[in-house]
Every structure is written in structure tokens, then in C-alpha cells.
Amino acid sequence: MKPVRIFTTGGTMDKVHDWRRETIAFAGAGRSQVPDILQQSRCYEHEVEQLFQIDSLEMTDAYRNIICERIGKAEEEGVVVTHGTSTMAETARYLAKCGLGKTVVLTGAMRPHALFVSDASFNLGGAIIAAQTLPPGVYGVMNGGIFEAQELKKNERLGRFDV
Amino acid sequence: MKPVRIFTTGGTMDKVHDWRRETIAFAGAGRSQVPDILQQSRCYEHEVEQLFQIDSLEMTDAYRNIICERIGKAEEEGVVVTHGTSTMAETARYLAKCGLGKTVVLTGAMRPHALFVSDASFNLGGAIIAAQTLPPGVYGVMNGGIFEAQELKKNERLGRFDV
Amino acid sequence: MKPVRIFTTGGTMDKVHDWRRETIAFAGAGRSQVPDILQQSRCYEHEVEQLFQIDSLEMTDAYRNIICERIGKAEEEGVVVTHGTSTMAETARYLAKCGLGKTVVLTGAMRPHALFVSDASFNLGGAIIAAQTLPPGVYGVMNGGIFEAQELKKNERLGRFDV
Amino acid sequence: MKPVRIFTTGGTMDKVHDWRRETIAFAGAGRSQVPDILQQSRCYEHEVEQLFQIDSLEMTDAYRNIICERIGKAEEEGVVVTHGTSTMAETARYLAKCGLGKTVVLTGAMRPHALFVSDASFNLGGAIIAAQTLPPGVYGVMNGGIFEAQELKKNERLGRFDV
């Protein structure tokens, strides 16, 4: 097994039910759900590093630059970045220009992991495998598909990624 | 996206709660949970073919021979086989001797998908990506790891696969 | 078993995850979750009548008047009204003034039934029993407690009802 | 709110998934699920006392005698006993002969609370209300119905209680 580093940035995957505001939001404590997904799947070899807890609509190049730097400093050759779906494509193209020389895989979810019926585990499970098997480059892994950074595009109407 | 064919054979992934016998068992109608996992994850491009609904302790070479034949006849270059964990390693080694020339990925779960908290989605999501990215050969994808048929081994004490 | 009529008016109990708006909202089809709760609990004797699918902040006396009329026309002596928690107390006091001569029990939830971890079943199960056992009057049944219309009061800070 | 004492004796309500034996069983630590149900429903006023963690097929008069004694010593006038469904009727009739002078309500579940889709919350929520509203006597509260000890009878074919 090749060790993978998983950077979490927030997005729907990390959100929970907020009964006070009756909506879906980041938990007060700001803890990512990714360690829970890994534990539920008995996946213990890969490191998780929580970077942010932000909605992908709040993602800016300043945040992207931090992601870039942290990927550069990671010892692992394969990296997963969890990210909201709305601007995942923009971040992928930003990271593709960073010249990282690593396998970087973005993934996310349309339904929070905390709601029990979710695409979060499926997508994260795929991204972790992609980070071990794809050649260096930047990719999105969503809905059982692999997309290169340039072709990554959310289908807003269907809530998924397709070509 | 490379199309993958998913053969289901049963195993824990497919089981449900049986209130009459108060246990975990295959549903009366014998329907696999795999199409539900794919729908929940909005993964529509890959074909599912239900072969059996058996516990992997019931898996014999007669069944394995059928799996072999069906993989041989599939148009896809990448194939996923869902399987119980107890004899997944034996089936992997049997299929490795079939000389299929395809990428065959076995996967399964320790907890049924129908129980909501499960490793089924994570493992299946990983296997579908592995079937698109690994070179021809037979592999197991479990717990975020990729194992060649020869090294695949269930850690019965921990309920997972590790090297 | 005394037959109870259950009128649904919406509220959090009925809401589902809305991935397009990334929030908790009524389903497009506007179907109440109450029949699902009853089926899950194998409770088949009581009739369900869906009146509205509204947030309790939208509840007005015009709506309350309709509830009143429908309760008056019901054949059953015991009635449950599912309702959002924010204005449940106001509706209880409105119904108390209607002089219905029946046992009317309001109930609701702080977390949607569709999120799997919810107080909806517990509260509805209690309300259905209360409607069979309490003398005529208007009550709220929430969090394992029984409250007369006049004393019903949501503790907004704790998200529950207490005295 | 009248305080109710809840005695837990095990039964399906308390069981969890056991991946080693691939079945539904009591957790190793032997902890009841009832406190979790109450917390999920924000029901904090009633006391829980865990007596046993047994399948109701193992219930004997020796156990029933202990239940009797503990009910007798409780300060509360209303008592709930969680119990497996298979012999709930026998225990109800045993307790009815104890001359306790209290309101004793038995309840249980056909599907474990830990499986997320369950009748446990609904039944427990009803039992807690029944213990506050019914006159002294022994009852079963299941599936939205109230049954006196003498008429309590499980319909094994349908997995519910009806008259």
C-alpha cells in the first residue's frame, strides 16, 4: 500500500445538520468528517491533515496557494484533497499550474457524510485508490469516474460530474 | 471514464437485517445492494451483473469457474467482483490462474450496506477506480489499500486486509 | 386500540435534505414523512391526513382555522397534529379556544425523520399514545413530556420543551 | 411531567451488529441503547436503570422476580420495562400478578435501534407517555397500540402486536 496524504478543506462532505438554523453547515467545533469515514472503513494507513472548513464558494486563490504549499511539503507522492463541488474544477486547474510533480486527486460529495445516505465514502474511497495508481498530475475523482483537471466540470443540473 | 463491469456474488455487502431470524442475511428477493450504492453515489456509467447471492464460505471452484467465464465474455477491460471477505483471497488466486488478460478487482465489506454505517461504499468506490487504472491482473481493493492476488490476506482478528 | 387521526401540517419532522440548495427543506413532491414513520414502526391502525407542508413560522390563524375544522369533522375522539416547533405553542392555544371536546395532541421534531438520527419517531409514538389516554383537551407531547396548551413553551436555547 | 423509571432488560432494542459472528447481538460491553434513544430525543427527565442484557427467550421467572422487586422499590408511580418481544406477554402476566399498584408499561422493538431504521424510538416514546397517563396496571405498548397484560399477544407472522 502506498501511503496517501489526505488534505481536507471542507465542502459538503464535512457538513452536519444544524438544528438551530435548520440547515446543513459546518459543525461548531469545525471537525472534518473524513477521519470518521476512514475509521468506518477501517482505513488506517493514510494521514489526514485538516486545512480548512470552508464552503467551496468561499475558496479563493489565497486558500489554493496554501493547498499548493502543503502538497509540496508532503512526503507522500500521492495526495487527496477533499473539496466542495462548486469550485472543485477551478481548484484543480489552479493546482495543475503549480507544477507539483505529484498525483493530486480532488474529491467531494453532494450529500454530507453525516446524513448516513451519502456519496462521501464512495468518492473518498475512489480518490484514495486513484492517488496510488494514477501517474503524476491533477485529477478529480467523482461518481466512479476519473477526470483530468482540464476536463473536470460539475453538471449543476444533475449534481454530478460527467463528460 | 473507462466503463467497468461489476459482477456481484453476494457477501456481507449485500446482506440485510432479517427480523424473523434476528440476524443478517440475504433478502428474500435476493437482490444485490450494489445498484443502490451506485445510485446513492450517482454513478451511472458502469454495468452491474448479479451472478450469485452467496456467503463467501459457500464459494466453490464451480462458482469461481462461472465468474471466470463471465469475466472472459465481458466487453470491458476492467472488472469488479463483489465478494464475501472470508474466501476473497482464494477466489483472487483462482482468477489469477485463469489467464484473463483483464484488470480484475475483488472487493467486499465487513458491514452490510443496508446498515447505513458501512464500509461497502468506500470499498466499492475504490474498486471501481482501481479497475480503470491498474494494469491487467487480479487484485483486491479493501480498506483503502490495493493488494495483488498473491498477497491478499484477511486479518480475521481485525476484520480488515493489511500486509 | 382506540383509532387516532393524525393530521400533518409540515414542520421539521417532514423535511429532507435538499442538495440543490444545500439545506433542509420540504421535498419537491410535498409528501409527509409521517406515513414512513408509521410503516417503519408497523403502526397501521391510525389514519393519516396530510393538511399542509409548511414551516411553522408560516403558520397563520387561517391555517389554524382549517386544522380546527378538520378536527371537528373527524370521527375519532383522539387526534394528533404534527407541527413545526417554533409556533406549536400558539397553535395549541388557538385550538384550545375552539371548544373541540376531543383529545388533541400536537407534536413535532427538532431533526428531520429523513436524517435517520431524529426525535421524530419518539415524539410521534408518544403523541399517538397520549391521544388514546388523555382526557379531552389540547396538549403538546415532546421529549417524553406531556404539556397542557397553556404551559407549552419551546426552550429555544436547548431546542426542546420543558417546564 | 411525571417522572418515569425505565428498566432495561435487553431484547432486540438493545442489540447491535456483530461483525465477527455476522449477526445481531448484544454489544461486548453490554450497554443498553436506551440512553442513546433518550438523548437523541432530548428526553432527560426520566431515570434509566439497566437490569439485564438478555434475549427474551432467556427470560425466566427468576429474572421476572427481580424486575418485580425493582419496580416495587422504585419511587416513581410510572414504570417502563424494555423487553424482547418473544416473551413480553408472559412477563406482563407475571408482573400483573405481583400486585404492584403502579403503572407498568412493557415495550420493545423488532429492529435494533442501532440499525437507524427501527421501531425502537417510536415504541419507547409511546411507553413513556403511557406510564404517565394510564391508571395502575400492567400494559404493553407496541406499534401505536395499548394492550392490557391479559390481551397482549405477539403476532409472530407479522412481527407486531395486534388484537
Side-chain angles (χ1 to χ4, degrees):
Chain A
M1 192 182 297
K2 288 189 206 166
V4 172
R5 183 158 292 256
I6 303 163
F7 294 103
T8 74
T9 74
T12 300
M13 186 182 276
D14 274 354
K15 293 184 178 176
V16 300
H17 179 241
D18 177 336
W19 65 265
R20 281 179 207 279
R21 293 187 289 146
E22 192 152 12
T23 189
I24 296 297
F26 296 112
R31 204 174 58 80
S32 170
Q33 298 287 307
V34 168
D36 280 2
I37 300 174
L38 297 180
Q39 187 171 24
Q40 180 175 312
S41 304
R42 304 181 188 199
C43 173
Y44 308 129
E45 282 81 1
H46 308 302
E47 288 289 322
V48 180
E49 200 173 323
Q50 182 171 330
L51 296 185
F52 325 120
Q53 280 279 89
I54 59 168
D55 197 288
S56 82
L57 293 171
E58 301 171 62
M59 181 64 69
T60 61
D61 285 356
Y63 285 120
R64 291 183 179 110
N65 193 42
I66 293 171
I67 300 173
C68 221
E69 284 183 2
R70 300 298 275 267
I71 293 174
K73 287 181 186 160
E75 289 182 14
E76 295 85 351
E77 290 303 303
V79 164
V80 168
V81 179
T82 64
H83 196 286
T85 56
S86 298
T87 63
M88 188 188 287
E90 285 76 359
T91 299
R93 289 191 264 280
Y94 183 99
L95 295 178
K97 282 189 259 174
C98 291
L100 291 158
K102 299 194 174 188
T103 302
V104 177
V105 183
L106 288 91
T107 197
M110 291 304 297
R111 223 177 122 102
H113 173 65
L115 301 199
F116 297 100
V117 173
S118 166
D119 50 344
S121 283
F122 184 89
N123 288 338
L124 184 62
I128 288 171
I129 297 302
Q132 297 175 66
T133 56
L134 288 171
V138 178
Y139 310 86
V141 163
M142 290 292 292
N143 316 109
I146 303 157
F147 308 95
E148 296 200 26
Q150 298 312 322
E151 64 174 358
L152 191 64
K153 186 174 185 322
K154 181 177 173 185
N155 182 326
E156 292 285 353
R157 192 172 56 83
L158 299 179
R160 65 189 302 274
F161 289 71
D162 44 24
V163 196
Chain B
M1 193 182 295
K2 288 189 206 165
V4 171
R5 183 159 292 257
I6 303 163
F7 294 103
T8 74
T9 75
T12 300
M13 186 182 276
D14 273 354
K15 293 184 178 176
V16 300
H17 179 241
D18 178 336
W19 65 266
R20 281 180 207 279
R21 293 186 289 147
E22 193 153 13
T23 188
I24 295 297
F26 296 111
R31 205 174 58 81
S32 170
Q33 298 288 308
V34 168
D36 280 2
I37 300 174
L38 297 180
Q39 187 171 25
Q40 179 174 312
S41 304
R42 303 181 188 198
C43 172
Y44 307 129
E45 281 81 2
H46 309 300
E47 288 288 321
V48 180
E49 200 173 323
Q50 182 171 329
L51 296 184
F52 326 120
Q53 279 279 89
I54 59 168
D55 197 288
S56 82
L57 293 171
E58 300 171 63
M59 181 63 69
T60 61
D61 285 356
Y63 284 120
R64 292 183 179 111
N65 193 41
I66 293 170
I67 300 172
C68 222
E69 284 182 3
R70 299 298 274 266
I71 294 173
K73 288 181 185 159
E75 288 182 14
E76 294 86 350
E77 291 302 304
V79 163
V80 168
V81 179
T82 64
H83 197 286
T85 56
S86 298
T87 63
M88 188 189 287
E90 286 76 359
T91 299
R93 290 192 263 280
Y94 183 99
L95 295 178
K97 281 189 259 174
C98 291
L100 291 157
K102 298 193 176 189
T103 301
V104 177
V105 183
L106 288 91
T107 196
M110 291 305 296
R111 222 177 124 102
H113 173 66
L115 301 199
F116 297 99
V117 173
S118 166
D119 51 344
S121 283
F122 184 89
N123 289 337
L124 184 62
I128 287 171
I129 297 302
Q132 296 174 67
T133 56
L134 288 171
V138 178
Y139 310 87
V141 163
M142 290 291 292
N143 315 109
I146 303 157
F147 308 96
E148 295 200 25
Q150 299 312 321
E151 63 173 357
L152 191 63
K153 187 175 185 323
K154 182 176 173 185
N155 182 326
E156 292 285 353
R157 192 172 56 82
L158 299 178
R160 65 189 302 274
F161 289 71
D162 44 25
V163 196
Chain C
M1 191 181 300
K2 287 189 205 166
V4 172
R5 182 159 292 256
I6 303 163
F7 293 102
T8 73
T9 74
T12 299
M13 186 182 274
D14 273 354
K15 292 185 178 177
V16 299
H17 179 241
D18 177 337
W19 64 266
R20 282 179 206 278
R21 293 187 288 147
E22 193 152 11
T23 190
I24 295 298
F26 296 112
R31 206 174 58 80
S32 170
Q33 298 288 308
V34 168
D36 280 1
I37 300 174
L38 297 180
Q39 186 172 24
Q40 180 174 311
S41 303
R42 304 179 189 201
C43 172
Y44 308 129
E45 281 82 3
H46 308 302
E47 287 289 322
V48 180
E49 199 173 324
Q50 181 171 329
L51 295 185
F52 325 118
Q53 280 277 91
I54 59 169
D55 197 288
S56 82
L57 294 171
E58 302 170 63
M59 182 63 70
T60 61
D61 284 357
Y63 285 120
R64 290 184 179 109
N65 194 41
I66 294 171
I67 300 172
C68 221
E69 285 183 2
R70 300 297 274 268
I71 293 173
K73 288 180 185 161
E75 290 182 13
E76 294 86 350
E77 290 304 304
V79 163
V80 168
V81 179
T82 64
H83 197 288
T85 56
S86 297
T87 63
M88 189 188 285
E90 286 76 359
T91 299
R93 289 191 265 280
Y94 184 100
L95 296 177
K97 281 187 262 174
C98 291
L100 291 157
K102 299 194 174 188
T103 302
V104 178
V105 183
L106 287 91
T107 196
M110 291 304 296
R111 220 178 125 103
H113 173 64
L115 301 199
F116 297 100
V117 173
S118 166
D119 50 343
S121 284
F122 184 90
N123 289 337
L124 184 62
I128 287 171
I129 297 302
Q132 297 175 66
T133 56
L134 289 170
V138 179
Y139 310 86
V141 163
M142 290 292 293
N143 315 108
I146 302 157
F147 308 95
E148 296 200 26
Q150 298 312 323
E151 63 173 358
L152 191 63
K153 187 175 184 320
K154 182 177 172 184
N155 181 327
E156 292 285 353
R157 194 172 55 84
L158 299 180
R160 64 189 302 275
F161 289 71
D162 44 25
V163 196
Chain D
M1 191 181 300
K2 287 190 206 166
V4 172
R5 183 159 292 256
I6 303 163
F7 293 104
T8 73
T9 75
T12 299
M13 186 182 276
D14 274 354
K15 292 185 179 177
V16 300
H17 178 242
D18 177 336
W19 64 265
R20 282 179 207 277
R21 293 187 289 146
E22 194 153 11
T23 190
I24 294 298
F26 296 112
R31 204 174 59 80
S32 170
Q33 298 288 308
V34 168
D36 280 0
I37 299 174
L38 297 180
Q39 186 171 24
Q40 179 174 311
S41 303
R42 304 180 188 199
C43 173
Y44 308 129
E45 280 81 3
H46 309 301
E47 288 288 322
V48 180
E49 199 173 323
Q50 181 170 330
L51 295 184
F52 325 118
Q53 280 278 90
I54 60 169
D55 197 287
S56 82
L57 293 171
E58 302 170 63
M59 181 63 70
T60 61
D61 284 356
Y63 284 120
R64 290 184 179 108
N65 194 40
I66 293 171
I67 300 172
C68 222
E69 285 182 2
R70 300 296 274 268
I71 294 173
K73 287 180 186 162
E75 290 181 13
E76 294 85 351
E77 290 304 303
V79 163
V80 168
V81 179
T82 64
H83 197 287
T85 56
S86 298
T87 63
M88 188 188 288
E90 286 76 358
T91 299
R93 289 191 265 280
Y94 183 100
L95 296 178
K97 282 188 261 173
C98 292
L100 291 156
K102 299 194 175 188
T103 302
V104 178
V105 183
L106 287 91
T107 197
M110 291 304 296
R111 220 177 125 102
H113 173 66
L115 301 200
F116 297 99
V117 173
S118 167
D119 50 344
S121 284
F122 184 90
N123 289 337
L124 184 62
I128 288 171
I129 296 302
Q132 297 174 66
T133 56
L134 289 170
V138 178
Y139 310 86
V141 163
M142 290 292 292
N143 315 109
I146 302 157
F147 308 96
E148 296 199 25
Q150 299 311 322
E151 64 174 358
L152 190 64
K153 187 175 185 320
K154 182 177 173 185
N155 181 327
E156 291 284 353
R157 193 172 56 82
L158 299 179
R160 63 189 302 275
F161 290 71
D162 44 26
V163 196

